[in-house]
Amino acid sequence: SAVISQKPSRDICQRGTSLTIQCQVDSQVTMMFWYRQQPGQSLTLIATANQGSEATYESGFVIDKFPISRPNLTFSTLTVSNMSPEDSSIYLCSVETQGAGTQYFGPGTRLLVL
Amino acid sequence: KQEVTQIPAALSVPEGENLVLNCSFTDSAIYNLQWFRQDPGKGLTSLLLIQSSQREQTSGRLNASLDKSSGRSTLYIAASQPGDSATYLCAVGSNSGYALNFGKGTSLLVTP
């Protein structure tokens, strides 16, 4: 298994500002993902964070709005840029260790945009 | 695009009852299926993982089954306890990648 931490755990932000969320894993992992869970909705994949290269974004998500970094095999950041109230969600980091098939999730970052 | 549906959306049962949560998916070409538990203010906890070649998995009071041909999975919880109260999420992994497609979840309340 993998132990994942996220910072911050929650935040309240003003419209038009940006927030960077950090994800730290206690071991090296091959795959890291960022998901969003809007109120009352299921989790939706934003992107796959690739180590050493640009992230792979899902349909409906773009790099300018959600820039992602992954400088090594244990750490990634997701930035929510130029926020609006529609960005109020829980943002979750997940990892999959090679060959495990199971994804492990961080505790999430609860974001409220006013 | 894979669509995952969970029924019921919410369920309330008295302690001690056995219960079944349902998950259906539209594309049977799956890599695996995973059941998670989500507690308020916390992340997701993996409960059971079923590979596409398997029919079921068991862990303690939990049993998950998979019928790929009909696009269905069930999570059976035996002798429910108040501590089982949480939202249960079904997630399907596709053959084309590692992304998981999630259902909206079943919110379970077990009353003492």
Side-chain angles (χ1 to χ4, degrees):
Chain A
S1 65
V3 178
I4 305 167
S5 61
Q6 285 186 233
K7 290 181 182 179
S9 58
R10 58 178 62 230
D11 207 343
I12 301 173
C13 299
Q14 295 298 317
R15 180 195 300 260
T17 63
S18 297
L19 175 72
T20 295
I21 302 168
Q22 298 179 5
C23 176
Q24 179 74 53
V25 190
D26 68 340
S27 59
Q28 293 186 343
V29 295
T30 51
M31 307 296 293
M32 293 183 76
F33 309 93
W34 286 98
Y35 287 83
R36 180 177 74 180
Q37 186 178 28
Q38 294 178 300
Q41 301 298 313
S42 61
L43 277 75
T44 302
L45 181 67
I46 297 172
T48 302
N50 301 308
Q51 195 269 327
S53 64
E54 193 171 282
T56 305
Y57 290 84
E58 296 299 304
S59 176
F61 298 96
V62 295
I63 187 171
D64 289 346
K65 176 65 176 178
F66 297 102
I68 288 171
S69 78
R70 188 173 175 193
N72 56 51
L73 294 176
T74 63
F75 185 79
S76 177
T77 67
L78 168 74
T79 298
V80 186
S81 303
N82 188 24
M83 288 183 286
S84 67
E86 292 71 34
D87 294 320
S88 298
S89 296
I90 301 173
Y91 292 86
L92 299 107
C93 167
S94 79
V95 305
E96 180 172 327
T97 54
Q98 191 164 10
T102 302
Q103 284 197 20
Y104 300 96
F105 283 77
T109 295
R110 191 175 297 266
L111 172 62
L112 176 63
V113 184
L114 302 177
Chain B
K1 182 182 183 294
Q2 179 75 270
E3 299 289 338
V4 181
T5 304
Q6 291 187 246
I7 295 174
L11 182 63
S12 180
V13 301
E15 181 178 7
E17 274 202 9
N18 302 324
L19 57 100
V20 175
L21 308 181
N22 297 291
C23 172
S24 62
F25 45 94
T26 55
D27 186 351
S28 61
I30 68 171
Y31 181 70
N32 57 28
L33 186 143
Q34 205 163 344
W35 282 93
F36 292 89
R37 168 183 173 141
Q38 185 174 29
D39 294 279
K42 298 184 180 180
L44 277 64
T45 302
S46 178
L47 298 173
L48 290 165
L49 169 70
I50 309 178
Q51 301 293 352
S52 62
S53 59
Q54 297 175 324
R55 297 281 293 181
E56 67 175 347
Q57 283 287 330
T58 298
S59 176
R61 294 183 294 109
L62 305 179
N63 175 273
S65 68
L66 173 64
D67 184 343
K68 271 201 324 178
S69 61
S70 66
R72 294 179 183 175
S73 175
T74 61
L75 179 66
Y76 175 82
I77 302 177
S80 58
Q81 302 171 358
D84 294 331
S85 298
T87 297
Y88 290 81
L89 297 168
C90 169
V92 176
S94 70
N95 284 328
S96 61
Y98 297 92
L100 292 176
N101 289 288
F102 280 84
K104 290 187 177 182
T106 294
S107 179
L108 173 64
L109 176 64
V110 182
T111 56

